[in-house]
Amino acid sequence: MPLRPRTTAALLAVSAVGVIAFFWPFLVAPSSLAADHASDAPWFFALLLPLVVGVLLAEISDGGLDAKGVAMLAVLAAVATAVRPLGAGVAGLEPMFVILLLGGRALGPAFGFALGSLAMFTSALLTAGVGPWLPFQMVAAGWFAMAAGLLPQIRGRAEIAMLMAYGAIGSLGYGLLMNLSFWPWALGDGSQLTFVPGAPLSENLGRWLAFTAATSLGWDIPRAVLTSVLTLLAGPVLLRSVRRATRRAAFDVPVRFEPALTGTEPGSH
């Protein structure tokens, strides 16, 4: 589904908040007010939820989603929520990412962002995974699914190969982002991996990448491999099923009311 003006504006707004929340170590001065409150996750969560709802409302008001589209969103979010405990985070194996990937691909970037955010929120409630990391997970998962809908519109085996490659790269990117959400406070002073306020951008980028390689790459690589393999095995069938359901639901078809025929009584035929 193509992006519409209000939906694009809503996605840009929520993404701008996400960029600031994740990348503030590279964007603000150590003495700024933003740096003093960078660890206050509740403000981010309080700001994020209305923005995610805003993306949904913008998509509905622009005609991209109707009641059937919202129902489809709820179904896919429920499926992603149900499969998340199957991986339980063991060795980074998280099968829910393939649902986010294929849902965003089949139904578009706005739907994908809403799906990723909603599924991460509901699955956190199910797995008791609510904490200061949750708003960061919601944005990172939303971006992961949204980007799948922004990839080139190709079909067939080429599309599956593209989604496999993206699933692997996107899964690694998700791990990188989540590390960035807590890396500035994760280590004490004196470590070669510690965030250094005021240091050159290249130095802190190098420390962030080294921190990821030393701590989470063992979880990120299995997630990337599993997402890619599941996309190969289940991608063609699931994409066809979701696209067929979308065509039958006809989300983009406007509702029109025809005038009643003259002389025709209700229930006469």
Side-chain angles (χ1 to χ4, degrees):
M1 295 182 184
L3 283 174
R4 296 163 176 84
R6 276 177 288 196
T7 305
T8 302
L11 284 174
L12 288 176
V14 71
S15 295
V17 172
V19 166
I20 294 172
F22 275 109
F23 292 93
W24 69 265
F26 308 126
L27 300 175
V28 302
S31 58
S32 71
L33 185 64
D36 292 339
H37 293 273
S39 61
D40 297 338
W43 70 260
F44 181 31
F45 193 60
L47 185 60
L48 175 64
L49 284 181
L51 289 173
V52 172
V53 174
V55 172
L56 274 177
L57 292 178
E59 186 71 350
I60 292 171
S61 63
D62 277 347
L65 278 180
D66 57 9
K68 291 171 286 189
V70 175
M72 177 69 77
L73 174 63
V75 169
L76 290 179
V79 172
T81 299
V83 301
R84 187 179 184 187
L86 299 179
V90 177
L93 301 176
E94 297 180 89
M96 72 177 295
F97 276 80
V98 74
I99 304 298
L100 307 185
L101 169 65
L102 298 176
R105 176 62 184 175
L107 296 168
F111 186 99
F113 185 87
L115 173 63
S117 300
L118 181 62
M120 197 57 73
F121 179 72
T122 53
S123 62
L125 297 178
L126 180 66
T127 59
V130 177
W133 53 84
L134 179 57
F136 296 96
Q137 289 179 325
M138 291 172 63
V139 172
W143 282 342
F144 173 81
M146 179 180 73
L150 294 172
L151 293 173
Q153 294 300 315
I154 56 178
R155 290 292 186 269
R157 294 180 179 178
E159 182 182 30
I160 297 301
M162 177 182 69
L163 292 179
M164 289 175 63
Y166 170 71
I169 295 171
S171 297
L172 293 173
Y174 177 85
L176 266 174
L177 281 177
M178 289 310 301
N179 286 338
L180 187 55
S181 68
F182 66 91
W183 162 64
W185 304 278
L187 303 173
D189 295 336
S191 170
Q192 295 295 318
L193 309 180
T194 301
F195 169 63
V196 179
L201 175 62
S202 58
E203 179 180 343
N204 273 327
L205 280 174
R207 288 171 178 264
W208 170 38
L209 295 176
F211 175 81
T212 297
T215 59
S216 74
L217 207 56
W219 278 263
D220 297 337
I221 290 177
R223 183 195 304 117
V225 172
L226 180 65
T227 303
S228 185
V229 170
L230 289 180
T231 300
L232 173 63
L233 297 177
V237 173
L238 290 180
L239 277 177
R240 279 199 302 271
S241 300
V242 175
R243 283 171 173 157
R244 186 183 303 117
T246 304
R247 285 195 299 271
R248 290 182 177 179
F251 297 157
D252 290 331
V253 177
V255 177
R256 294 179 180 175
F257 297 95
E258 300 291 342
L261 297 176
T262 303
T264 302
E265 296 294 334
S268 62
H269 58 279

